[in-house]
DNA sequence: GGGAATGTAAAACGATCGTTTTACATTGCA
DNA sequence: TGCAATGTAAAACGATCGTTTTACATTCCC
């Protein structure tokens, strides 16, 4: 494992568990097991590092959402929560922590949320057989809600969202 | 307006718009229009101040949710978003920013989320005529989802959640 | 009329922030 | 054999962090 991946992985873990602002670079060098000189050679800056973390996470997350049905969308979220835990959406959290004032971060977040919205819309279309932007918006809201409610309600929030999405899809189908 | 309220109001505005960690006490003294000596007399500490902000916000927010129907719940959220804007849930954001490691903050968040869950459960019961914990969980997820999706989807997310909740309620009623 | 109480302004506290630099060791390739 | 690349360890950078302190002004009440 090269130093850049080791750094990105350590950064994602710390930023996600303790917050972006609350994580100092000292703690990061320690967790990544490298000197600060090496860290900055690969990271550029703290903001660039967070942007790289988000881009990498987008890749991993969106790969899991390569599905054909809305139900599979929520099944994928159940898997994600089981594996990664539920601490809310790292993208929205990063942007909120920086007040949207860090361009690299704001752009990475915007790119992810655009892609996410598009993916949900596509899956709803494929599952239904035709476009339905309003229903897609509802499914997106359920997904986002499951992500955030799971922080304090646990996995139950995701299965509730899954069931609700099932009802909405069934109603749209008939 | 006494100094404590002026301080709490200024703190809520800055913490919400720029983040808790990103907001320094210097900026806070400036915004509140008072010396740091006075600020600390009323605030105790930064963490205590954030906890007071959250408790105050819980009061304001929960007051708006004193309604009888699920539809009114989402109407109240539409109002809230129109007035206060959509930057995600300040409670979840505060806890995430501090990694849950600041007891005053973690406790204020837990208290709010417990109260919120209870309120949603009560409103669903009242609207339906009988208890339905599963449906309440779905409505809670829709509400949480609307709050967070509105950050990037705007008010449309809230009306989508409102419509979805209407469908789920109607189905449960018949 | 004299002391609490409450406020301001500003300096100072040690700690930590993100980042750069200095000095040196190790490796791999021409 | 020798140089370029890549790494470490550690000190230093100025800035800013949350918080306390010093010194002084104002107000209110007994």
């Amino acid at each position: 494992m090269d130093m850049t991946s080791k750094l990105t992985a350590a950064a994602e873990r710390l930023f996600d568990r303790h917050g972006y602002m609350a994580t100092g670079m000292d703690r990061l060098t320690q967790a990544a097991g490298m000197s600060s000189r090496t860290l900055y050679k690969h990271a550029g800056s703290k903001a660039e590092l967070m942007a790289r973390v988000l881009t990498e996470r987008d890749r991993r997350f969106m790969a899991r959402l390569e599905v054909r049905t809305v139900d599979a969308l929520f099944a994928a979220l159940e898997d994600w929560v089981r594996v990664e835990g539920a601490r809310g959406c790292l993208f929205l959290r990063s942007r909120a922590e920086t007040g949207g004032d860090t361009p690299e971060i704001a752009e990475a977040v915007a790119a992810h949320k655009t892609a996410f919205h598009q993916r949900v819309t596509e899956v709803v279309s494929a599952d239904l057989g035709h476009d339905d932007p309003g229903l897609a918006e509802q499914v997106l809201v359920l997904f986002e809600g499951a992500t955030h409610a799971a922080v304090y309600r646990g996995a139950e929030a995701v299965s509730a969202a899954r069931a609700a999405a099932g009802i909405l899809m069934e109603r749209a189908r008939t």
Side-chain angles (χ1 to χ4, degrees), chain A:
Chain A
M1 196 187 202
D2 64 306
M3 307 245 72
T4 299
S5 333
K6 198 163 65 166
L7 171 56
T8 308
E12 178 172 6
R13 180 162 214 283
L14 289 181
F15 289 157
D16 185 35
R17 295 189 127 76
H18 305 288
Y20 170 66
M21 285 290 186
T23 302
M25 298 306 266
D26 282 17
R27 204 171 182 188
L28 210 45
T29 59
Q30 198 176 342
M34 65 185 61
S35 66
S36 66
R37 197 176 205 274
T38 304
L39 185 148
Y40 273 93
K41 174 164 293 187
H42 291 88
S45 68
K46 194 187 185 183
E48 283 177 65
L49 178 56
M50 174 87 263
R52 191 170 5 249
V53 163
L54 292 177
T55 304
E56 171 64 28
R57 195 179 175 93
D58 171 78
R59 234 184 33 72
R60 268 210 347 273
F61 185 75
M62 293 301 284
R64 295 221 188 195
L65 300 192
E66 279 169 4
V67 296
R68 301 185 130 78
T69 67
V70 167
D71 192 62
L73 222 47
F74 288 90
L77 181 57
E78 279 178 0
D79 286 351
W80 178 275
V81 166
R82 193 179 309 116
V83 174
E84 311 251 356
R87 276 171 299 278
C89 172
L90 185 58
F91 298 89
L92 292 183
R93 284 168 51 203
S94 306
R95 201 167 70 131
E97 277 209 60
T98 54
D101 297 331
T102 311
E104 304 101 309
I105 296 177
E107 282 157 23
V109 172
H112 165 72
K113 286 306 185 186
T114 299
F116 173 63
H117 174 242
Q118 190 176 323
R119 175 66 48 86
V120 170
T121 303
E122 286 164 4
V123 172
V124 168
S125 281
D127 195 342
L128 211 58
H130 57 86
D131 289 356
D132 191 334
L135 182 55
E137 190 84 43
Q138 293 178 347
V139 170
L140 181 143
V141 167
L142 278 171
F143 198 100
E144 202 75 66
T147 301
H148 289 92
V151 174
Y152 58 100
R153 298 292 307 161
E156 200 182 343
V158 187
S159 34
R162 187 177 186 173
I167 292 170
L168 297 177
M169 288 300 292
E170 187 192 13
R171 203 191 94 115
R173 217 174 264 115
T174 61

